[in-house]
Amino acid sequence: MANIRVCARLRPANSKEDGEALCFTRSDSQCFTLQDEKDEQYMFSFDKVFYEDSEQADVYEFLARPIVTDAVKAINGTIITYGQTGAGKTYTMEGAGIRETDNHKKGLLPRVVDELFEAINFCGETAAYKIKLSMVEIYMERVRDLLDLSKDNIQIKEHKGHGILLCGVTEILISDGEEALKFLSSGIANRAVGETQMNMASSRSHCIYIFTVQKEVANEKRVSIGKLVLVDLAGSEKVEKTGAEGRVLEEAKTINKSLSALGNVINALTSGQQGKANHIPFRDSKLTRILQDALGGSSQTALLCCCSPCLCNFPESLSTLRFGARAKHIKALPRSGCKEEIYDPKQETLLSVNDVKLKVVDLRERILKKLRDKLDAETVKLILEEFMVDGVLCEAEEVNSRHEEGGIIITSETISSWKAATEKLVKTIAELRRENHMLKEVNELMEVEYVEMMHVIKRLQARLRKPDHYSVLVFGFSFLATICISFLILASCFSC
């Protein structure tokens, strides 16, 4: 297992630092000494030190190029820029502009794009390559898709065989360097930035660029997939220097909190006793969760610590360099991404198990959201139970195992049928609800009529029970008449 590669870069002094004393002394290309106001010295040694006169190309050739070429060979890689705000991280990553044509000013991103397509073209026709681009930012502890702003709370999932995944993130298939730069420019324009006293365009979020390189060799049923991740971290801030207030202050607190979580992860990774398991707090922030593969040892990782050379920023530079010195002890075991494929004859493309799993997870989440919006919790629970029984919905982790067992092949046609079945189910339930509502109204009407009928019956019964004067009079007359007739009969009998 190799250590991750750690380099330091000392930018030139800016206009606000003119006349400021320098806080470092060169030793060689790997070592230098940091010195504070009291002449206390701190010596640091890294894989490479890029001083203020270094070129952008120098940083790329040593730090990034080996990782980029290995990504084409299906070895995962991550490049991270770290340091205080205004230390030159974004300049190193993007250059003077993402479409900068001056080779001296081009950053890591445009050079990575050029290198990827050069490597692919060099391979000739022996293999077919596909490159997909994704861009997200972590802003106020929410993962936002910079290529689709409607996705402003992307969920982070972990799969045993595929590592950390961003469910539903936009993946754009890019065919050449110019197209890649166009989408990168569009995504960067959507990134959250703000003005502080230390930086006119300070990054207010951690930005993550993901290049997925898929290689398919002719006459083979397997493809290799390499993932290259570039991370431009937001800088740590001191309020007294940045003058942050209001919303910018809240952003600074969130940034510092996530960077503190990152420092805790580095400490946990490097301070554990050999042979003993140690808890690593990857779940303490979205940043450390996404960087779990990079820091956990399953990716080839490079870290660039960006610093100011001036004495006024000595405390922040010392903290940054100590972070890098600690990270240098992390061991890495890069993982090759060779995966089984699922053939989709309808689209005439090859979909990896990872792609299918992401589609299934995303579809499941959208189905559940749609059902919860329209139905009550008890109904949704019953529907989910039926779906589980029928195998329509399953856990993300089941997708890979079910495929390996040969029990299921998931295609876009299957996914479409799920969508159609869900929509039909929702419509049916809505119709049943309407019918149920109508039946309730009829039942209520019948209840009202029943009550009224009961009142009428009670009134009739009451009247029947009440004494009738006419009836009594008739009965009296009838009784008198009977008596008179009886006397007449008796009288007639006596007379006879």
Side-chain angles (χ1 to χ4, degrees), residues 213-458:
V213 184
Q214 179 177 303
K215 175 185 176 183
E216 178 196 348
V217 180
N219 301 322
E220 290 188 11
K221 293 183 179 181
R222 300 173 71 89
V223 300
S224 57
I225 299 175
K227 187 175 289 187
L228 176 62
V229 181
L230 289 86
V231 184
D232 180 15
L233 296 177
S236 57
E237 298 184 4
K238 283 191 174 181
V239 178
E240 60 267 23
K241 286 189 176 183
T242 61
E245 19 179 71
R247 181 70 175 180
V248 177
L249 178 59
E250 293 303 315
E251 293 170 344
K253 289 179 180 178
T254 306
I255 291 169
N256 289 340
K257 185 178 180 181
S258 63
L259 292 175
S260 177
L262 178 60
N264 293 337
V265 167
I266 297 298
N267 289 337
L269 286 169
T270 56
S271 62
Q273 296 181 6
Q274 191 169 1
K276 290 187 178 181
N278 189 29
H279 171 67
I280 312 299
F282 285 116
R283 294 177 180 269
D284 284 1
S285 76
K286 296 291 179 65
L287 174 62
T288 52
R289 187 73 169 137
I290 291 178
L291 293 180
Q292 183 171 335
D293 287 342
L295 300 175
S298 59
S299 173
Q300 189 173 222
T301 304
L303 173 67
L304 181 65
C305 297
C306 299
C307 303
S308 164
C310 298
L311 192 59
C312 61
N313 292 315
F314 172 83
E316 292 84 357
S317 297
L318 179 61
S319 176
T320 298
L321 295 170
R322 282 176 169 170
F323 175 88
R326 192 102 192 197
K328 200 174 185 308
H329 296 290
I330 298 175
K331 300 291 183 180
L333 183 62
R335 181 171 58 198
S336 178
C338 191
K339 298 179 175 62
E340 289 281 355
E341 292 301 303
I342 301 172
Y343 183 64
D344 184 350
K346 190 171 183 179
Q347 294 184 354
E348 295 184 353
T349 59
L350 287 175
L351 300 176
S352 68
V353 174
N354 181 41
D355 292 335
V356 173
K357 184 175 66 56
L358 284 175
K359 285 186 177 181
V360 171
V361 172
D362 182 45
L363 174 62
R364 184 184 64 183
E365 294 299 327
R366 285 188 284 113
I367 288 174
L368 294 180
K369 185 178 184 301
K370 195 170 183 179
L371 290 175
R372 291 190 182 106
D373 289 343
K374 297 187 176 183
L375 305 175
D376 57 86
E378 188 64 27
T379 305
V380 172
K381 184 179 179 181
L382 292 173
I383 293 172
L384 287 180
E385 289 175 356
E386 290 299 320
F387 275 11
M388 290 295 184
V389 171
D390 294 338
V392 176
L393 289 179
C394 59
E395 293 296 327
E397 289 76 6
E398 295 177 11
V399 175
N400 189 45
S401 61
R402 291 178 70 180
H403 166 66
E404 289 175 353
E405 293 169 2
I408 186 171
I409 294 182
I410 304 171
T411 65
S412 61
E413 185 177 353
T414 306
I415 293 174
S416 298
S417 66
W418 291 355
K419 291 179 181 178
T422 303
E423 291 174 359
K424 184 178 179 181
L425 180 62
V426 171
K427 288 180 180 177
T428 303
I429 292 173
E431 291 175 1
L432 290 173
R433 277 187 162 183
R434 285 195 294 271
E435 291 178 5
N436 186 42
H437 181 69
M438 292 174 63
L439 288 173
K440 282 184 178 179
E441 289 181 347
V442 172
N443 184 50
E444 289 174 358
L445 183 60
M446 291 178 67
E447 286 181 354
V448 171
E449 292 179 353
Y450 173 77
V451 171
E452 290 179 356
M453 289 177 64
M454 290 302 296
H455 286 317
V456 171
I457 291 170
K458 287 180 180 179

Side-chain angles (χ1 to χ4, degrees), residues 39-50:
D39 293 335
E40 188 172 353
Q41 296 183 345
Y42 304 85
M43 181 170 285
F44 291 95
S45 177
F46 296 101
D47 293 298
K48 182 81 172 178
V49 179
F50 301 99

